Amino acid sequence: QKEVEQDPGPLSVPEGAIVSLNCTYSNSAFQYFMWYRQYSRKGPELLMYTYSSGNKEDGRFTAQVDKSSKYISLFIRDSQPSDSATYLCAMKKGTQGAQKLVFGQGTRLTINP
Amino acid sequence: DAEITQSPRHKITETGRQVTLACHQTWNHNNMFWYRQDLGHGLRLIHYSYGVQDTNKGEVSDGYSVSRSNTEDLPLTLESAASSQTSVYFCASGKGDTQYFGPGTRLTVL
């Protein structure tokens, strides 16, 4: 069983819809949670970073972490065609000095005009 | 502007050949990472380094090696390329919890 599970999709929604992307994890040692966005034939770029349980908002994006359920989410409001990309969740353990990330498979998202 | 670059961007090679993929960053980051990305597997860590002369194996290190002789570069070598190593390879560098990714190298092993 993978440490981090993410539905690969693909997910296709109309412009303006609210998008929900999710990951589950099995290792309670994960303390830091990130969402990366990857456009086609490009490298991933950091979109959101969070440490504690709860919500973190940045513009149209909200990252949610529920450590008790080992579940993280990324919500995109008022989705735009430019949001079409693959979204990868990533996690890091709290061990001091450990900088390795464990990634989910990525969810391919298409926003239709 | 500081950046991270990878070369070549595309490479076709034959089974059994030695291949080296270059990664260069100008941020002066101590941490550097190599990943491969395949359908159904996401990004998997191959090797990583926390500083000069430091290298560590990741999740899928068999058949790969790295060396870190300076802060800026972490070349990835495939000792004897296999068809199973056909993939897209990403290099990343970082400080603290953030990693910045290069544009990737698409490698095909025939």
PDB file of all heavy atoms in Angstrom, chain A residues 23-40:
ATOM      1  N   CYS A  23      -6.295  13.847  -1.045  1.00  0.00           N
ATOM      2  CA  CYS A  23      -5.287  12.815  -0.813  1.00  0.00           C
ATOM      3  C   CYS A  23      -5.500  12.216   0.566  1.00  0.00           C
ATOM      4  O   CYS A  23      -5.896  12.933   1.497  1.00  0.00           O
ATOM      5  CB  CYS A  23      -3.869  13.384  -0.887  1.00  0.00           C
ATOM      6  SG  CYS A  23      -3.325  13.831  -2.536  1.00  0.00           S
ATOM      7  N   THR A  24      -5.216  10.938   0.677  1.00  0.00           N
ATOM      8  CA  THR A  24      -5.195  10.291   1.984  1.00  0.00           C
ATOM      9  C   THR A  24      -3.796   9.756   2.219  1.00  0.00           C
ATOM     10  O   THR A  24      -3.049   9.494   1.276  1.00  0.00           O
ATOM     11  CB  THR A  24      -6.216   9.144   2.067  1.00  0.00           C
ATOM     12  OG1 THR A  24      -5.908   8.176   1.048  1.00  0.00           O
ATOM     13  CG2 THR A  24      -7.626   9.652   1.854  1.00  0.00           C
ATOM     14  N   TYR A  25      -3.445   9.605   3.482  1.00  0.00           N
ATOM     15  CA  TYR A  25      -2.127   9.083   3.799  1.00  0.00           C
ATOM     16  C   TYR A  25      -2.233   8.136   4.974  1.00  0.00           C
ATOM     17  O   TYR A  25      -3.200   8.171   5.746  1.00  0.00           O
ATOM     18  CB  TYR A  25      -1.131  10.213   4.063  1.00  0.00           C
ATOM     19  CG  TYR A  25      -1.468  11.121   5.227  1.00  0.00           C
ATOM     20  CD1 TYR A  25      -0.894  10.921   6.480  1.00  0.00           C
ATOM     21  CD2 TYR A  25      -2.341  12.196   5.062  1.00  0.00           C
ATOM     22  CE1 TYR A  25      -1.180  11.764   7.535  1.00  0.00           C
ATOM     23  CE2 TYR A  25      -2.634  13.045   6.119  1.00  0.00           C
ATOM     24  CZ  TYR A  25      -2.054  12.827   7.356  1.00  0.00           C
ATOM     25  OH  TYR A  25      -2.342  13.663   8.404  1.00  0.00           O
ATOM     26  N   SER A  26      -1.235   7.281   5.098  1.00  0.00           N
ATOM     27  CA  SER A  26      -1.307   6.240   6.115  1.00  0.00           C
ATOM     28  C   SER A  26      -0.336   6.463   7.274  1.00  0.00           C
ATOM     29  O   SER A  26      -0.517   5.894   8.347  1.00  0.00           O
ATOM     30  CB  SER A  26      -1.022   4.862   5.492  1.00  0.00           C
ATOM     31  OG  SER A  26       0.235   4.876   4.845  1.00  0.00           O
ATOM     32  N   ASN A  27       0.677   7.287   7.082  1.00  0.00           N
ATOM     33  CA  ASN A  27       1.728   7.447   8.080  1.00  0.00           C
ATOM     34  C   ASN A  27       1.496   8.712   8.904  1.00  0.00           C
ATOM     35  O   ASN A  27       1.563   9.816   8.385  1.00  0.00           O
ATOM     36  CB  ASN A  27       3.090   7.521   7.369  1.00  0.00           C
ATOM     37  CG  ASN A  27       4.254   7.367   8.322  1.00  0.00           C
ATOM     38  OD1 ASN A  27       4.131   7.667   9.509  1.00  0.00           O
ATOM     39  ND2 ASN A  27       5.376   6.901   7.815  1.00  0.00           N
ATOM     40  N   SER A  28       1.230   8.545  10.176  1.00  0.00           N
ATOM     41  CA  SER A  28       0.955   9.702  11.038  1.00  0.00           C
ATOM     42  C   SER A  28       2.197  10.564  11.278  1.00  0.00           C
ATOM     43  O   SER A  28       2.108  11.635  11.863  1.00  0.00           O
ATOM     44  CB  SER A  28       0.387   9.235  12.385  1.00  0.00           C
ATOM     45  OG  SER A  28       1.294   8.356  13.017  1.00  0.00           O
ATOM     46  N   ALA A  29       3.366  10.108  10.826  1.00  0.00           N
ATOM     47  CA  ALA A  29       4.589  10.909  10.958  1.00  0.00           C
ATOM     48  C   ALA A  29       4.611  12.107  10.009  1.00  0.00           C
ATOM     49  O   ALA A  29       5.395  13.032  10.196  1.00  0.00           O
ATOM     50  CB  ALA A  29       5.822  10.036  10.706  1.00  0.00           C
ATOM     51  N   PHE A  30       3.755  12.093   8.999  1.00  0.00           N
ATOM     52  CA  PHE A  30       3.697  13.246   8.092  1.00  0.00           C
ATOM     53  C   PHE A  30       3.141  14.453   8.842  1.00  0.00           C
ATOM     54  O   PHE A  30       2.084  14.393   9.453  1.00  0.00           O
ATOM     55  CB  PHE A  30       2.823  12.937   6.875  1.00  0.00           C
ATOM     56  CG  PHE A  30       3.442  11.976   5.904  1.00  0.00           C
ATOM     57  CD1 PHE A  30       2.752  10.849   5.470  1.00  0.00           C
ATOM     58  CD2 PHE A  30       4.722  12.190   5.409  1.00  0.00           C
ATOM     59  CE1 PHE A  30       3.316   9.968   4.580  1.00  0.00           C
ATOM     60  CE2 PHE A  30       5.301  11.305   4.523  1.00  0.00           C
ATOM     61  CZ  PHE A  30       4.598  10.193   4.105  1.00  0.00           C
ATOM     62  N   GLN A  31       3.883  15.550   8.791  1.00  0.00           N
ATOM     63  CA  GLN A  31       3.501  16.747   9.525  1.00  0.00           C
ATOM     64  C   GLN A  31       3.339  17.974   8.622  1.00  0.00           C
ATOM     65  O   GLN A  31       2.725  18.958   9.023  1.00  0.00           O
ATOM     66  CB  GLN A  31       4.556  17.051  10.590  1.00  0.00           C
ATOM     67  CG  GLN A  31       4.695  15.961  11.646  1.00  0.00           C
ATOM     68  CD  GLN A  31       3.454  15.834  12.503  1.00  0.00           C
ATOM     69  OE1 GLN A  31       2.842  16.832  12.884  1.00  0.00           O
ATOM     70  NE2 GLN A  31       3.052  14.604  12.797  1.00  0.00           N
ATOM     71  N   TYR A  32       3.950  17.942   7.449  1.00  0.00           N
ATOM     72  CA  TYR A  32       3.930  19.072   6.540  1.00  0.00           C
ATOM     73  C   TYR A  32       3.285  18.638   5.232  1.00  0.00           C
ATOM     74  O   TYR A  32       3.589  17.568   4.708  1.00  0.00           O
ATOM     75  CB  TYR A  32       5.356  19.567   6.267  1.00  0.00           C
ATOM     76  CG  TYR A  32       6.097  19.952   7.523  1.00  0.00           C
ATOM     77  CD1 TYR A  32       6.818  19.011   8.242  1.00  0.00           C
ATOM     78  CD2 TYR A  32       6.065  21.259   7.996  1.00  0.00           C
ATOM     79  CE1 TYR A  32       7.488  19.350   9.401  1.00  0.00           C
ATOM     80  CE2 TYR A  32       6.744  21.606   9.149  1.00  0.00           C
ATOM     81  CZ  TYR A  32       7.447  20.657   9.849  1.00  0.00           C
ATOM     82  OH  TYR A  32       8.105  20.991  10.998  1.00  0.00           O
ATOM     83  N   PHE A  33       2.397  19.479   4.702  1.00  0.00           N
ATOM     84  CA  PHE A  33       1.592  19.096   3.560  1.00  0.00           C
ATOM     85  C   PHE A  33       1.636  20.185   2.492  1.00  0.00           C
ATOM     86  O   PHE A  33       1.515  21.373   2.801  1.00  0.00           O
ATOM     87  CB  PHE A  33       0.142  18.847   4.004  1.00  0.00           C
ATOM     88  CG  PHE A  33       0.050  17.848   5.129  1.00  0.00           C
ATOM     89  CD1 PHE A  33       0.071  18.265   6.451  1.00  0.00           C
ATOM     90  CD2 PHE A  33      -0.019  16.492   4.855  1.00  0.00           C
ATOM     91  CE1 PHE A  33       0.018  17.353   7.498  1.00  0.00           C
ATOM     92  CE2 PHE A  33      -0.074  15.568   5.890  1.00  0.00           C
ATOM     93  CZ  PHE A  33      -0.052  15.989   7.203  1.00  0.00           C
ATOM     94  N   MET A  34       1.816  19.758   1.270  1.00  0.00           N
ATOM     95  CA  MET A  34       1.934  20.686   0.158  1.00  0.00           C
ATOM     96  C   MET A  34       1.071  20.259  -1.012  1.00  0.00           C
ATOM     97  O   MET A  34       0.754  19.075  -1.159  1.00  0.00           O
ATOM     98  CB  MET A  34       3.394  20.747  -0.329  1.00  0.00           C
ATOM     99  CG  MET A  34       4.375  21.246   0.702  1.00  0.00           C
ATOM    100  SD  MET A  34       5.670  20.050   0.919  1.00  0.00           S
ATOM    101  CE  MET A  34       6.311  20.442   2.516  1.00  0.00           C
ATOM    102  N   TRP A  35       0.731  21.218  -1.825  1.00  0.00           N
ATOM    103  CA  TRP A  35       0.112  20.972  -3.118  1.00  0.00           C
ATOM    104  C   TRP A  35       0.985  21.616  -4.185  1.00  0.00           C
ATOM    105  O   TRP A  35       1.354  22.788  -4.073  1.00  0.00           O
ATOM    106  CB  TRP A  35      -1.301  21.550  -3.178  1.00  0.00           C
ATOM    107  CG  TRP A  35      -2.285  20.747  -2.402  1.00  0.00           C
ATOM    108  CD1 TRP A  35      -2.683  20.952  -1.110  1.00  0.00           C
ATOM    109  CD2 TRP A  35      -2.984  19.584  -2.857  1.00  0.00           C
ATOM    110  NE1 TRP A  35      -3.592  19.988  -0.731  1.00  0.00           N
ATOM    111  CE2 TRP A  35      -3.799  19.142  -1.786  1.00  0.00           C
ATOM    112  CE3 TRP A  35      -3.022  18.868  -4.057  1.00  0.00           C
ATOM    113  CZ2 TRP A  35      -4.624  18.031  -1.882  1.00  0.00           C
ATOM    114  CZ3 TRP A  35      -3.845  17.769  -4.155  1.00  0.00           C
ATOM    115  CH2 TRP A  35      -4.644  17.352  -3.074  1.00  0.00           C
ATOM    116  N   TYR A  36       1.315  20.814  -5.186  1.00  0.00           N
ATOM    117  CA  TYR A  36       2.069  21.302  -6.329  1.00  0.00           C
ATOM    118  C   TYR A  36       1.159  21.280  -7.555  1.00  0.00           C
ATOM    119  O   TYR A  36       0.315  20.398  -7.715  1.00  0.00           O
ATOM    120  CB  TYR A  36       3.287  20.410  -6.600  1.00  0.00           C
ATOM    121  CG  TYR A  36       4.467  20.678  -5.700  1.00  0.00           C
ATOM    122  CD1 TYR A  36       4.517  20.175  -4.399  1.00  0.00           C
ATOM    123  CD2 TYR A  36       5.552  21.441  -6.140  1.00  0.00           C
ATOM    124  CE1 TYR A  36       5.610  20.418  -3.568  1.00  0.00           C
ATOM    125  CE2 TYR A  36       6.639  21.685  -5.328  1.00  0.00           C
ATOM    126  CZ  TYR A  36       6.655  21.179  -4.049  1.00  0.00           C
ATOM    127  OH  TYR A  36       7.736  21.432  -3.233  1.00  0.00           O
ATOM    128  N   ARG A  37       1.375  22.230  -8.452  1.00  0.00           N
ATOM    129  CA  ARG A  37       0.672  22.281  -9.724  1.00  0.00           C
ATOM    130  C   ARG A  37       1.696  22.042 -10.826  1.00  0.00           C
ATOM    131  O   ARG A  37       2.790  22.601 -10.815  1.00  0.00           O
ATOM    132  CB  ARG A  37       0.001  23.650  -9.910  1.00  0.00           C
ATOM    133  CG  ARG A  37      -0.728  23.835 -11.211  1.00  0.00           C
ATOM    134  CD  ARG A  37      -1.437  25.186 -11.223  1.00  0.00           C
ATOM    135  NE  ARG A  37      -0.499  26.287 -11.078  1.00  0.00           N
ATOM    136  CZ  ARG A  37      -0.868  27.532 -10.784  1.00  0.00           C
ATOM    137  NH1 ARG A  37      -2.133  27.828 -10.589  1.00  0.00           N
ATOM    138  NH2 ARG A  37       0.049  28.475 -10.691  1.00  0.00           N
ATOM    139  N   GLN A  38       1.314  21.196 -11.782  1.00  0.00           N
ATOM    140  CA  GLN A  38       2.225  20.879 -12.879  1.00  0.00           C
ATOM    141  C   GLN A  38       1.500  21.027 -14.198  1.00  0.00           C
ATOM    142  O   GLN A  38       0.579  20.264 -14.508  1.00  0.00           O
ATOM    143  CB  GLN A  38       2.760  19.445 -12.726  1.00  0.00           C
ATOM    144  CG  GLN A  38       3.781  19.057 -13.773  1.00  0.00           C
ATOM    145  CD  GLN A  38       4.330  17.656 -13.570  1.00  0.00           C
ATOM    146  OE1 GLN A  38       3.717  16.822 -12.918  1.00  0.00           O
ATOM    147  NE2 GLN A  38       5.503  17.390 -14.128  1.00  0.00           N
ATOM    148  N   TYR A  39       1.929  21.999 -14.986  1.00  0.00           N
ATOM    149  CA  TYR A  39       1.398  22.159 -16.329  1.00  0.00           C
ATOM    150  C   TYR A  39       2.070  21.141 -17.247  1.00  0.00           C
ATOM    151  O   TYR A  39       3.176  20.656 -16.968  1.00  0.00           O
ATOM    152  CB  TYR A  39       1.618  23.578 -16.831  1.00  0.00           C
ATOM    153  CG  TYR A  39       0.769  24.603 -16.127  1.00  0.00           C
ATOM    154  CD1 TYR A  39       1.353  25.613 -15.345  1.00  0.00           C
ATOM    155  CD2 TYR A  39      -0.615  24.591 -16.236  1.00  0.00           C
ATOM    156  CE1 TYR A  39       0.573  26.559 -14.701  1.00  0.00           C
ATOM    157  CE2 TYR A  39      -1.399  25.531 -15.595  1.00  0.00           C
ATOM    158  CZ  TYR A  39      -0.802  26.505 -14.827  1.00  0.00           C
ATOM    159  OH  TYR A  39      -1.579  27.440 -14.187  1.00  0.00           O
ATOM    160  N   SER A  40       1.415  20.855 -18.363  1.00  0.00           N
ATOM    161  CA  SER A  40       1.900  19.836 -19.281  1.00  0.00           C
ATOM    162  C   SER A  40       3.329  20.132 -19.729  1.00  0.00           C
ATOM    163  O   SER A  40       3.651  21.260 -20.116  1.00  0.00           O
ATOM    164  CB  SER A  40       0.969  19.778 -20.495  1.00  0.00           C
ATOM    165  OG  SER A  40       1.388  18.784 -21.391  1.00  0.00           O
TER     166      SER A  40
END
